[in-house]
Amino acid sequence: MAVHEMDHPLILHKLSLMRDKQTGVKEFREATREIAMLMCYEATRDLPLKTIEIETPVAHARVRVISGKKIAIVPILRAGLGMVDGMLELIPTAKVGHLGMYRDPDTLKPVSYYCKMPQDIAERDCLIVDPMLATGGSSAAGIQVLKDMGVKHIKLMCLLAAPEGLALIQQEHPDVEIFVAAVDERLNDHGYIVPGLGDAGDRIFGTK
Ligand code: PRP
Ligand code: URA
């Protein structure tokens, strides 16, 4: 399935702000929200439309509206939370499911600690959001959780990806479309994306 890498100047400019180690919590958080909103515009490009009839102040008109597609936004905690508000600004009726996962610092494997989904999750198209796709383990596990709940259509939206993470998702979940603001060079020995932006969760929440 396709990997969509963003080339919009606004996205790339805001991403550069996030990469800079001098950027503080407030600006980092704002840029996360704003890039998520801009990427949401791209990721919803294929939403189906239907035609309805309305009266404008001037005339009768046939106009197009989104055809009632049910969407769920699923952030991977913690860092994915920083992307949710930007997405909800564009899709205010979306429901939100939460997946709690952290990466074990020694094994780099994801450890799941929380899962709360809308009851009708199996009938919804899901957009998983997490700023970082490093080894890909967390996102791959998150996708599997949704598939096990019966979800048929899943998109993954990340700000930064390592080639290793993209390869894992494409191998384990070839049906999942990926939206990423930028693909970086590689992972370092600690599983951090290089050049990257550091620890996204710590920088969004100010925990380091
Ligand atoms: C980060 C990030 C991803 C994961 C990416 O979360 O937000 O969820 O690491 O790494 P992976 O692709 O190798 O799995 P982290 O484990 O630091 O948890 P946090 O968001 O709570 O800080
Ligand atoms: N998680 C992060 O927050 N940053 C990385 O570079 C890799 C995993």
Side-chain angles (χ1 to χ4, degrees):
M1 185 60 89
V3 176
H4 305 271
E5 189 175 351
M6 304 294 116
D7 59 3
H8 197 290
L10 286 175
I11 293 179
L12 299 183
H13 179 87
K14 290 172 193 297
L15 188 59
S16 299
L17 284 178
M18 293 179 70
R19 289 181 185 277
D20 189 336
K21 68 177 184 185
Q22 306 287 0
T23 298
V25 172
K26 175 176 178 289
E27 288 77 21
F28 191 93
R29 197 181 283 151
E30 283 170 359
T32 305
R33 188 187 67 82
E34 289 167 1
I35 296 177
M37 183 167 61
L38 293 166
M39 289 182 69
C40 183
Y41 177 82
E42 286 300 329
T44 51
R45 195 173 270 288
D46 63 349
L47 285 183
L49 295 166
K50 64 181 178 189
T51 301
I52 61 168
E53 308 211 359
I54 59 158
E55 300 295 327
T56 79
V58 179
H60 188 79
R62 287 165 60 80
V63 296
R64 295 196 299 164
V65 294
I66 292 167
S67 68
K69 197 83 180 172
K70 289 179 161 187
I71 295 177
I73 299 163
V74 180
I76 298 182
L77 312 186
R78 289 175 300 167
L81 285 175
M83 298 172 72
V84 173
D85 285 353
M87 313 269 307
L88 286 175
E89 282 189 42
L90 292 195
I91 329 175
T93 57
K95 291 194 173 171
V96 181
H98 293 87
L99 271 177
M101 239 172 245
Y102 71 87
R103 207 168 66 146
D104 182 292
D106 297 322
T107 64
L108 299 183
K109 298 286 177 217
V111 181
S112 172
Y113 60 88
Y114 187 72
C115 179
K116 183 77 180 177
M117 292 297 145
Q119 276 187 342
D120 59 353
I121 191 72
E123 293 148 37
R124 292 181 175 265
D125 286 0
C126 289
L127 271 161
I128 297 183
V129 295
D130 189 332
M132 309 304 273
L133 184 70
T135 66
S138 305
S139 289
I143 292 167
Q144 193 58 54
V145 168
L146 292 185
K147 285 185 174 176
D148 291 345
M149 291 178 158
V151 177
K152 301 284 183 303
H153 299 112
I154 300 173
K155 291 176 182 171
L156 173 65
M157 189 190 291
C158 305
L159 303 193
L160 274 189
E164 294 89 332
L166 285 177
L168 185 79
I169 301 298
Q170 288 182 309
Q171 183 193 323
E172 290 193 4
H173 301 290
D175 53 311
V176 171
E177 207 172 349
I178 305 171
F179 294 82
V180 58
V183 181
D184 273 8
E185 285 165 27
R186 62 186 171 87
L187 295 177
N188 69 14
D189 292 344
H190 305 287
Y192 275 79
I193 298 175
V194 180
L197 50 72
D199 188 305
D202 281 339
R203 295 194 67 188
I204 290 171
F205 295 107
T207 40
K208 231 174 217 165

